[in-house]
Amino acid sequence: MAVVEYKDVSRIYPGSEIPAVNTLNLTVASGELLVLVGPSGSGKSTALRMLAGLEPANEGSIHIDGADVTDFEPQQRDIAMVFQNYALYPQMTVAGNMGFALKQRKVPKAEREAKVLEAARILDLEPYLDRKPKNLSGGQRQRVAMGRAIVREPKVFLMDEPLSNLDAKLRVQTRAELADLQARLGVTTVYVTHDQVEAMTMGHRVAVLKDGFLQQVDAPKELYHRPANRFVAGFIGSPAMNLIPTDRIDGKVTFGSFQVPLDAQTEKALASQPGVAFTVGIRPEHLQLVTSGIPGEVKLLEELGSESYIHVQVQHEDRDQILVVRTDGDATVSRGSTVNVGFNGPVHLFGEDGLRIE
Amino acid sequence: MVEQQRIEPADNGTSGKGGGRARKSSFLSEAWKRRLPLLPAFLIVVVLTQVPFLMSIYFSLTRWRANTAEPREFIGVDNYIDLVSNSFFWSAAWNSILMTVVSVGLSLLFGTGLALLLDRKFFGQGFARTLIITPFLVMPVVAGLVWKNQMLNSSFGVINWFIEGLGMEPISFASRYPLWTIVVVLVWQWTPFMMLIILAGLQGQSSSVLEAAKVDGANGVSTFFQITLPHLRSYLELGALLGVIYLSQVYDHIRVITRGTGSANLPYFVYLRSIGGGWQFGAASAYSIVVVIFSFIIANFGLRVLSGLLTDEGA
Amino acid sequence: MADFAKPKGKGRFTSLAFTSLTWLLAGIFFFPIFWMFISGFKSELDANGAPKLFFEPTLEQYRIVTETPPGQLGFWEATTNSFIIVIVSTLIVMMLAVPTAYALTIRPVGKWMEYLFFFISTKFLPIVASILPIYILAKHFDLLSSRRLLIILYMSMNLPLAIWMLRSFFQEVPRELIEAAEIDGANLRSQMVSVILPIVAPGLAATALLCFIFAWNEYFLAVQLNTTGGETVPIWASSVVDERGQFLAKLSAASTLATLPVIVAGWVAQKRMIRGLAMGAIK
């Protein structure tokens, strides 16, 4: 059980001008599963590797359980890490892999074996303890990597895209198992992924990064319903939020001939905004097909069975604009037909600087 | 197993590091920490290669005949001036270039051919490869002796036996074609080496690329020239580089087969002029310095090729 | 797989032709060695005449060449010298090259490429150019009358090659494995022993073998520095001819004995050897 803190942490790779991680401030509560999510190059892995001690921090400090570990070697930090490709020692058996860290700490053999066996039991790895990693399936390898982390009983688990090498079905299953395991063990966990679905389903809180900057850190629900800026709005949620550039005319934000419905609070905040250019964000489920609304042509239809995503091309400020509408599975439209789109829920508004207005 | 005392990992900052200031000095020692493992090898190589080289430079500026009682005398660049007009030196230089270029070229050509043949699946593939690589493993002295005495000898050589069988006069290869005899033996020894490198290249070729070419309708010949050969380029370069390093310094074969007659390359010429009977240590040192300069021009070129290989890899 | 001659209909004939050609060339390349090998079992009468494939085999020549004529270099002495010199020098090379390869790959020094180039560039220095200073230095340090001189020289001769090859193998050690070991609390020694060395072990073996081959076969330095008490097998092999004239059967027996250790070792490790030379250098 430990609190992890990043205080103004920056990492500039040699030969680069732009920091990979830029003055990151982040606190992970004890026992929390925090997910770092972002597109590639966002700095999420760098942030994790700095916490592991595999990458030095150029500025700022990192604290585990109150102790400044910024200049500690990985060995001194009492952390365990699960790597994307598992990084199992090929010449050691499953038991050898899981017990290696304990052996390094000179834990007596009997105690070591007991702990390995216990971890193997939790992860259903008992029959495989004498096998070499090359004789295991992808899912089993992933569990060995997990086992190697749990036997340590570390202060913090670090996970670097641990599920990305599994096939889609196994990934969904393992995702749930992993979240459950973490909750049972109650060990503070920092989890890196590029997959926002994984982030949303697993994280107690999710930290979104882009270009080395922390965009927002919040509970998944909050992230979804109140994205702090245009980037988070577009990144979280699938299919992605519709983001429509609009201009303010006569104090109102309009879409085509429609006035965008804003709640009173947002309306008030909008009044104090100096610019004219805004972005309206609306999730696909908050749009619907109506008899009288914004007219457009169906360009693409994605049918998933339980629901359908309809891509409608509408005219807005003399430009073509695609709106994705999410409907239930039995939509009757077809490609090329003309439909009307109407608003059906909350609308997000972002200013010229991309920040949320409310 | 012996019961050992359990040691907790040190997680309190006993090392006293922690601030931004402390980090600077730890980075400096980090550079040395990284350099430390290669220092022994580095220093040993510097001492063992550079010290003799510096001594050679000094000797090359002296008149020093080891077979006379004359003392060593500093004469400046005279040895180098004499060298320019020494036709033996230039013919040795020409031999060197000819021998290196022809043997490396032929070894690469034959090696590529053999590699292509061996890269097919057929019965006894591994055994055929084993037979073909063996010449590379043979001690150069033995290779020279076997070829000279048992293959090419004019009275009991196997090849001359064939030639006589065809009704022609036997040829004493080593005395009539000394340079080419040596080239034959060098090619025999180095073709297997080149074959192994090219084979590694062929086996490293991704099968999906070849399949894509097949789907795109390329036939065998055009697949070879447009896909396989470009892929092999870096392997050919590596083979050429290693070949030049070793074949430009051939000594053993020459010593055993011709003793330098009509086939002395630069190393052998330097040898003949110094410890090989000439005892002109001053002049020989000057020759060797020139050889080193030549070698470094070639090396520079070779290393540029190599640096290309290394940067490709980094990409 | 080569792209031509897949056994398919008309291709089957081509395939057979290519296979025959391969076997023919393999035969040609191996023939001199085969000839040397069988000639060692001939009597001198059979060997010094028109080439003969069928003869009455005898071990006589092996008996003669392994006998030590008084005052001359004997086979057993040369073999002992060779093994000691080659093994010791190869061990030293490996002990120096392993940490160097580590410092060029896993935790690389700044400008690692320049260090690597320096090591390789020393291979371009013709040995003959430094034989004289080496002789003078060796005499000064009283190394001429021992095996030590050749040990030192073969070490410096093979070190760059070993570093080059080991670098290739070390490069194939996945970064994450070392990082995982660091996080697991392994110190440098333990990372080396438990993680890195087991992975590069085949590469170490191949590299050591190549060093062994080059050192075993080396003749120039051995003969020129003429270290009394340190004469090696190549000197012995050439002396069999020099001193006993045209005795082809004896020469063949001696040649077979001289080359056998390296040929056997090379056959065993052929695949790995080439991986070390070619892989990693090229991607």
Side-chain angles (χ1 to χ4, degrees):
Chain A
M1 294 292 223
V3 178
V4 170
E5 288 165 284
Y6 289 90
K7 290 183 182 166
D8 297 318
V9 176
S10 292
R11 171 69 180 139
I12 304 160
Y13 283 106
S16 167
E17 300 275 297
I18 305 145
V21 170
N22 207 332
T23 48
L24 176 65
N25 279 294
L26 185 62
T27 303
V28 188
S30 186
E32 183 181 31
L33 174 72
L34 179 103
V35 179
L36 293 174
V37 69
S40 59
S42 61
K44 55 188 191 301
S45 279
T46 307
L48 187 78
R49 290 169 60 81
M50 283 193 289
L51 177 55
L54 298 171
E55 207 75 70
N58 298 86
E59 279 164 36
S61 60
I62 295 171
H63 303 257
I64 297 176
D65 228 3
D68 183 348
V69 299
T70 318
D71 289 321
F72 279 22
E73 297 294 323
Q75 291 92 331
Q76 301 170 302
R77 297 190 180 201
D78 199 10
I79 45 159
M81 185 157 168
V82 178
F83 290 82
Q84 184 171 6
N85 50 14
Y86 317 138
L88 301 178
Y89 310 120
Q91 75 283 2
M92 296 181 201
T93 61
V94 169
N97 265 285
M98 299 202 328
F100 183 71
L102 298 179
K103 205 169 167 182
Q104 298 310 311
R105 286 204 249 168
K106 310 237 174 9
V107 174
K109 198 177 177 195
E111 189 184 337
R112 206 162 73 210
E113 280 172 354
K115 284 192 172 174
V116 168
L117 208 63
E118 167 70 9
R121 200 185 49 74
I122 296 174
L123 294 162
D124 285 330
L125 284 169
E126 281 164 302
Y128 311 110
L129 279 175
D130 292 326
R131 289 212 196 158
K132 295 270 174 72
K134 65 167 188 273
N135 299 322
L136 297 175
S137 71
Q140 287 163 347
R141 281 180 210 180
Q142 204 279 331
R143 295 214 298 279
V144 176
M146 279 302 302
R148 196 166 64 178
I150 356 186
V151 290
R152 296 271 313 273
E153 296 171 10
K155 286 190 184 143
V156 188
F157 281 147
L158 310 184
M159 305 202 183
D160 191 2
E161 311 221 9
L163 304 181
S164 61
N165 279 343
L166 301 178
D167 65 55
K169 200 170 172 192
L170 194 56
R171 185 158 45 206
V172 173
Q173 185 195 333
T174 315
R175 192 165 79 195
E177 286 170 8
L178 217 155
D180 174 56
L181 184 68
Q182 193 274 338
R184 268 192 290 154
L185 297 173
V187 175
T188 313
T189 303
V190 181
Y191 187 108
V192 161
T193 182
H194 66 272
D195 179 353
Q196 54 95 12
V197 178
E198 214 168 286
M200 298 293 277
T201 51
M202 295 184 72
H204 301 165
R205 282 190 307 151
V206 176
V208 183
L209 280 98
K210 184 201 173 210
D211 299 336
F213 287 100
L214 180 64
Q215 304 290 315
Q216 185 175 6
V217 51
D218 251 320
K221 239 184 183 165
E222 192 70 5
L223 217 53
Y224 189 79
H225 293 298
R226 292 186 58 231
N229 59 37
R230 203 163 50 200
F231 173 77
V232 175
F235 189 75
I236 299 290
S238 175
M241 183 188 278
N242 294 297
L243 292 170
I244 309 133
T246 50
D247 292 336
R248 172 164 57 181
I249 299 159
D250 298 337
K252 300 284 180 199
V253 176
T254 57
F255 187 97
S257 53
F258 283 77
Q259 186 184 328
V260 174
L262 299 170
D263 57 49
Q265 211 181 345
T266 313
E267 198 83 57
K268 216 168 116 193
L270 176 67
S272 60
Q273 288 281 325
V276 289
F278 295 88
T279 302
V280 167
I282 180 149
R283 297 219 173 265
E285 62 265 37
H286 298 143
L287 288 175
Q288 61 180 2
L289 299 186
V290 291
T291 42
S292 124
I294 309 154
E297 185 192 344
V298 177
K299 282 291 185 188
L300 183 68
L301 196 58
E302 293 177 285
E303 290 182 299
L304 277 70
S306 62
E307 57 193 28
S308 303
Y309 308 140
I310 306 162
H311 297 238
V312 183
Q313 185 179 327
V314 298
Q315 282 290 314
H316 169 58
E317 291 175 7
D318 302 327
R319 279 178 288 110
D320 286 339
Q321 171 77 43
I322 295 282
L323 293 178
V324 179
V325 183
R326 179 169 157 188
T327 66
D328 50 23
D330 38 61
T332 50
V333 296
S334 59
R335 228 178 86 123
S337 61
T338 303
V339 292
N340 287 295
V341 179
F343 296 94
N344 177 33
V347 168
H348 308 263
L349 191 64
F350 304 99
E352 223 168 346
D353 52 5
L355 294 179
R356 180 181 189 84
I357 297 169
E358 63 176 14
Chain B
M1 207 180 152
V2 184
E3 190 81 353
Q4 276 165 319
Q5 202 194 341
R6 183 172 172 170
I7 297 165
E8 290 296 331
D11 49 8
N12 47 357
T14 43
S15 54
K17 292 188 285 183
R21 277 140 276 110
R23 211 170 294 154
K24 215 166 208 173
S25 68
S26 78
F27 268 140
L28 194 74
S29 73
E30 171 71 15
W32 277 102
K33 247 196 278 176
R34 283 167 181 247
R35 209 168 289 148
L36 201 62
L38 64 63
L39 280 182
F42 183 73
L43 293 177
I44 284 174
V45 171
V46 167
V47 169
L48 287 177
T49 61
Q50 308 304 303
V51 170
F53 178 59
L54 292 176
M55 286 171 74
S56 280
I57 291 182
Y58 171 71
F59 294 157
S60 75
L61 302 174
T62 64
R63 184 197 329 274
W64 181 15
R65 298 195 177 97
N67 55 344
T68 67
E70 282 174 48
R72 193 160 63 202
E73 185 193 347
F74 189 84
I75 53 164
V77 294
D78 284 6
N79 284 326
Y80 290 93
I81 293 166
D82 291 346
L83 175 149
V84 176
S85 58
N86 186 331
S87 64
F88 294 109
F89 175 82
W90 293 110
S91 94
W94 173 239
N95 283 346
S96 253
I97 292 167
L98 204 61
M99 205 181 278
T100 309
V101 169
V102 174
S103 350
V104 171
L106 287 179
S107 304
L108 273 174
L109 189 69
F110 296 152
T112 307
L114 283 172
L116 286 171
L117 285 173
L118 283 170
D119 194 34
R120 303 160 52 250
K121 278 219 166 12
F122 62 92
F123 179 71
Q125 186 186 11
F127 186 60
R129 188 188 58 222
T130 302
L131 290 186
I132 289 176
I133 65 157
T134 312
F136 175 66
L137 304 169
V138 171
M139 191 177 285
V141 172
V142 166
L145 288 173
V146 166
W147 274 88
K148 184 188 178 190
N149 294 312
Q150 296 185 286
M151 296 293 117
L152 301 172
N153 187 293
S154 56
S155 28
F156 13 78
V158 176
I159 291 176
N160 270 312
W161 182 69
F162 273 108
I163 291 175
E164 282 181 282
L166 294 172
M168 287 186 281
E169 282 290 296
I171 305 161
S172 62
F173 291 97
S175 45
R176 267 186 68 187
Y177 309 106
L179 187 84
W180 300 112
T181 303
I182 287 160
V183 166
V184 165
V185 182
L186 291 178
V187 170
W188 177 69
Q189 289 216 276
W190 282 83
T191 295
F193 181 78
M194 301 302 182
M195 181 276 285
L196 281 175
I197 288 184
I198 305 294
L199 196 58
L202 286 173
Q203 287 167 354
Q205 194 169 215
S206 87
S207 58
S208 60
V209 171
L210 293 179
E211 281 163 8
K214 200 173 283 177
V215 171
D216 286 345
N219 62 18
V221 177
S222 70
T223 308
F224 175 75
F225 281 104
Q226 288 175 36
I227 292 165
T228 305
L229 206 56
H231 166 77
L232 286 182
R233 206 189 105 173
S234 45
Y235 292 85
L236 291 164
E237 285 172 351
L238 178 70
L241 181 73
L242 291 169
V244 168
I245 288 180
Y246 282 94
L247 290 175
S248 62
Q249 296 188 38
V250 163
Y251 168 87
D252 304 4
H253 300 83
I254 302 173
R255 160 91 182 174
V256 173
I257 297 173
T258 64
R259 301 206 171 238
T261 319
S263 57
N265 60 0
L266 280 173
Y268 205 88
F269 176 71
V270 173
Y271 158 76
L272 284 178
R273 285 299 158 111
S274 56
I275 49 180
W279 306 112
Q280 309 265 344
F281 283 174
S285 295
Y287 300 146
S288 63
I289 295 303
V290 174
V291 174
V292 169
I293 291 165
F294 271 134
S295 300
F296 259 93
I297 293 168
I298 300 171
N300 221 314
F301 176 75
L303 289 179
R304 206 162 296 160
V305 169
L306 200 64
S307 122
L309 299 183
L310 291 171
T311 22
D312 281 354
E313 164 200 338
Chain C
M1 273 274 291
D3 38 279
F4 54 96
K6 289 264 168 62
K8 228 185 276 166
K10 191 177 69 180
R12 266 192 76 175
F13 174 75
T14 343
S15 170
L16 199 69
F18 275 123
T19 304
S20 316
L21 179 65
T22 314
W23 279 108
L24 178 72
L25 290 172
I28 290 174
F29 265 84
F30 192 70
F31 180 76
I33 297 154
F34 167 75
W35 196 252
M36 165 188 96
F37 180 72
I38 65 160
S39 297
F41 296 98
K42 288 176 180 172
S43 66
E44 288 298 351
L45 202 66
D46 282 330
N48 295 297
K52 253 187 215 173
L53 200 53
F54 300 101
F55 56 90
E56 201 172 310
T58 167
L59 284 172
E60 181 66 10
Q61 313 308 337
Y62 282 93
R63 194 187 58 76
I64 296 172
V65 295
T66 52
E67 263 173 11
T68 309
Q72 285 180 31
L73 174 66
F75 170 72
W76 297 111
E77 190 194 341
T79 306
T80 312
N81 283 338
S82 266
F83 268 110
I84 291 173
I85 288 168
V86 168
I87 288 172
V88 173
S89 77
T90 303
L91 280 179
I92 300 173
V93 164
M94 299 310 284
M95 282 186 323
L96 291 168
V98 165
T100 306
Y102 179 88
L104 291 174
T105 50
I106 288 165
R107 206 177 271 273
V109 290
K111 299 186 183 158
W112 60 269
M113 213 191 258
E114 279 165 34
Y115 279 99
L116 181 65
F117 279 4
F118 168 75
F119 283 119
I120 299 169
S121 73
T122 63
K123 284 302 293 177
F124 282 96
L125 275 173
I127 299 169
V128 76
S130 41
I131 188 86
L132 186 62
I134 288 173
Y135 182 83
I136 290 165
L137 288 171
K139 202 168 174 186
H140 180 78
F141 292 106
D142 196 22
L143 289 166
L144 284 176
S145 57
S146 70
R147 302 179 185 120
R148 275 172 295 168
L149 179 60
L150 286 185
I151 290 176
I152 294 169
L153 292 177
Y154 291 173
M155 180 205 57
S156 87
M157 170 180 92
N158 278 331
L159 193 52
L161 183 76
I163 290 169
W164 163 256
M165 275 182 77
L166 282 185
R167 192 194 76 92
S168 316
F169 285 108
F170 270 69
Q171 218 167 22
E172 287 180 26
V173 178
R175 274 221 74 81
E176 291 83 4
L177 273 188
I178 295 151
E179 291 177 348
E182 276 180 35
I183 288 173
D184 276 349
N187 57 24
L188 184 60
R189 200 186 135 270
S190 167
Q191 284 171 35
M192 216 44 189
V193 173
S194 311
V195 181
I196 300 172
L197 288 183
I199 295 173
V200 297
L204 288 181
T207 308
L209 190 88
L210 206 69
C211 293
F212 182 92
I213 293 175
F214 280 121
W216 181 273
N217 288 347
E218 204 287 330
Y219 175 66
F220 176 71
L221 292 169
V223 76
Q224 292 314 327
L225 298 170
N226 197 17
T227 55
T228 43
E231 288 127 312
T232 53
V233 168
I235 299 180
W236 171 79
S238 67
S239 76
V240 168
V241 191
D242 282 356
E243 283 144 28
R244 293 167 201 178
Q246 295 283 22
F247 295 113
L248 286 188
K250 281 180 202 67
L251 166 65
S252 300
S255 299
T256 307
L257 286 176
T259 46
L260 209 59
V262 159
I263 288 185
V264 171
W267 282 352
V268 172
Q270 45 176 313
K271 273 187 176 171
R272 281 176 188 160
M273 221 163 64
I274 220 51
R275 229 187 85 217
L277 275 173
M279 301 291 169
I282 295 164
K283 270 243 169 83

